[in-house]
Amino acid sequence: MEKYIYGMRLRGCSIGTQPDGFEIIENTVKDKYYDLLAYEKPLTDEELKEYELDYIGVIGNGEME
């Protein structure tokens, strides 16, 4: 199953700071993002803007595509 990865650039994961339905994954770019989040579906442009997230990429079968 594919998962869409997003970086939290201005704050870490907390109540109300990201859309629901996420899973926190290992932060491999600690110097750039507070947390990395995985979602089973892509977030909308509105969600990215509202929560100040950056799209990182897609993980399929455990590897970044």
Side-chain angles (χ1 to χ4, degrees):
M1 173 182 274
E2 290 184 334
K3 293 193 178 185
Y4 299 85
I5 310 304
Y6 299 90
M8 300 188 75
R9 58 183 143 87
L10 297 182
R11 67 185 75 75
C13 187
S14 186
I15 295 172
T17 62
Q18 67 283 318
D20 292 334
F22 66 93
E23 163 187 346
I24 296 178
I25 62 170
E26 181 181 354
N27 189 348
T28 57
V29 284
K30 289 180 174 73
D31 58 330
K32 188 166 183 178
Y33 298 108
Y34 287 94
D35 289 306
L36 297 180
L37 307 175
Y39 288 86
E40 291 184 3
K41 62 182 176 98
L43 298 178
T44 65
D45 288 339
E46 186 176 306
E47 289 172 315
L48 294 178
K49 184 178 177 182
E50 179 180 346
Y51 294 102
E52 299 166 322
L53 301 173
D54 289 339
Y55 174 72
I56 305 285
V58 176
I59 291 178
N61 299 325
E63 294 189 18
M64 188 72 81
E65 296 176 3

